[in-house]
Amino acid sequence: MRADRALRLHLAMHVPFNLAADLDAALKRAATVASIADASAFSPEVRTAEARHGDFQANGVLGHAKARKLNPRALAEQIVGAIDPALGENYVVSIAGPGFINFALKPAALLAWLRTFDSAALLRAGAAAARAEQTWVVDYSSPNTAKQMHVGHLRSAVIGEAICRLLAFTGARVIRDNHLGDWGTQFGKLIFAYKRWVDPQALATDAIEELERLYKRGNDATPDGSPELEEARRELVKLQNGDPESVALWQKFSDVSLAAFQEIYDRLGIAFDHCLGESFYRDQVDRVYRELAETKLAEVSDGALVVFHPEHPRFKTQPFLVRKADGASNYASTDLATALYRTDHFKADGIVVVTDFRQADHFEQLFLTVGKWFTATARRQPELHHVTFGAVTGEDGKALKTRSGDVIKLKALLDEAVERAFALVTEKNPDLTESERRDIARIVGVGAVQYADLSQNRSSNYVFSWDKMLALDGNTAPYLLYAVARIHSIFRRAGAVPGDPSIESGATPPETPEEITLARRLTKFPDAIRLASETLRPHHLGLYLFELAGDYSSFNSADKVLVDDPAIRARRMMLCARTLLILETGLTLLGLRTLTRM
RNA sequence: GCGAAUGUAGCACAAUGGAUAGUGUAGUGGCCUCCGAAGCCAUUGAUCCGGGUUCGACUCCCGGCAUUCGCACCA
């Protein structure tokens, strides 16, 4: 056993995890060896190729030659001639078209890669170099307290969690921070309403529902200019001044809300490290005002403290309002304090905020301000990313508003998804026990909802539709999970454990077209991870997994796994085991749960 | 008014400046005596309009058109 592990470690040192990155480095070395013009500036630009051109292609020769008035084909030949001969053992190298360099993995090289990366730990070890030693804070979900989570809250939670898992897989220490909307003017109205109309019975049975009712009633009862609004404002002042009764009520609202949110998070597989909402920063904004004033970044305009950015076409006149004229803070104040806390306290190298695109101006102004502020005060500069997505709209194209009455609660959405999945699994697999079918329905239903958001990149608006969100055909969670279940089924039938080295030991290199296509796809996993994590766009991984599942299905239809020939059986078992490993690893990275039968 | 995002087959989406723009769904035609047909194979069909940059543009730049959103004390 120990010898076997040592052998695999040895192999891992000699078989690169990310083949594209390895080829890129090899071509740079070759360019130096060949002494091409400006070799140090040569960027090979190796990327995954379309299958008909091989496995990887280098596009960089064209640009390099063009810029220096060289013949691109001749330059390509020069570089290819200087490639380390050892590379030729693994790839068929060719020059095509105006000067593309193509690399096609030989079957033996495919086998070596598949043999080497045979566990989740090795995949993780291969990917973890990208962000080793880095700390990233991810700010996502971030609902307002005293209201239920509705369909509009889904995207931030689902996309944010997938980004957390991708960052962690690529080596980062990830801090999940739920930046709750738990402070502000709405609490004056809520306390006002609570004191008059709370229904203790309702509060005991469904607290968040009752708080939401009270908030709506409080809002309706306090129109502009009314004495009731004045009363609500007095309640807010009492809360802000630390009146014990008010603070106790506010704390109760927060506790009730968090408990309700947690039920949703549990179903989505989300566990926050911190829930540092706006209230957490209420004592930290004075320092922000002081520093922005001292560094002359902020000025007083119409009584408010604002920041302008003279170099920016729009923000030279559109102010970033960091303190209201009445002296109160707003979300710019607390977001600035939040950026400071994440940088100073968490030592963040990167901060990711996941919200809908309507807040793009705010975050652009925030990041510009933070950059100048931290420069002026000689602080570290974390990478700042605003990850946006389109708003959820109704069929009419209008945004679903919180107060419009017909919002869809997240709890109801998940329930409906699970019910639909249950009906489907019952139809497809009536022999399973009800308990098994319930378990499967939870994974398939919730996964379908999660994957609906993760399978597309769109920053355009998301038109809400039950049918679209819960679709079970095509590039969807059920299709991916079905592939997983079928692979498990083969191992059950064979009485074998996926990944057991003894069933793969006699494996020969892939031979049939379907085996080769599948094996080639498996080696592209590192590139999919790289792309998804660098761009903070999980759909790149989702699309890869869908293509992998498709290649597996074709293989599964064309090539029988449990055949008598031991070499063929071993290599097909290995292909099944690796497909399973990468599908399960990838789906987990997207935040989905997987299953063994469905 | 200023600004941003989006615009790809009937519908829904993909394409990190690269080679003949990929997929799903719907349509059409095949495949269950065969490890799970929630599947596989084949096939029809598209870059909003007009310029420009580039060896090469869905992608970058300029000008339109359409949809959605933002723009001083909500978050």
Side-chain angles (χ1 to χ4, degrees), chain A residues 29 52 151 157 208 218 242 288 292 333 353 357 390 485 513 520 522 544:
Chain A
R29 283 196 300 274
R52 64 175 182 273
V151 62
I208 192 83
V288 175
L292 289 179
S333 330
V353 182
F357 74 101
R520 291 170 68 189
L522 288 165
Y544 167 79

Side-chain angles (χ1 to χ4, degrees), chain A residues 303-341:
Chain A
L305 191 65
V306 302
V307 177
F308 289 102
H309 295 284
E311 79 287 3
H312 193 282
R314 197 152 23 103
F315 302 144
K316 65 184 175 191
T317 53
Q318 184 179 322
F320 188 49
L321 204 151
V322 302
R323 188 183 60 202
K324 302 199 283 187
D326 64 3
S329 64
N330 65 1
Y331 80 139
S333 330
T334 50
D335 277 358
L336 285 162
T338 303
L340 179 61
Y341 187 79

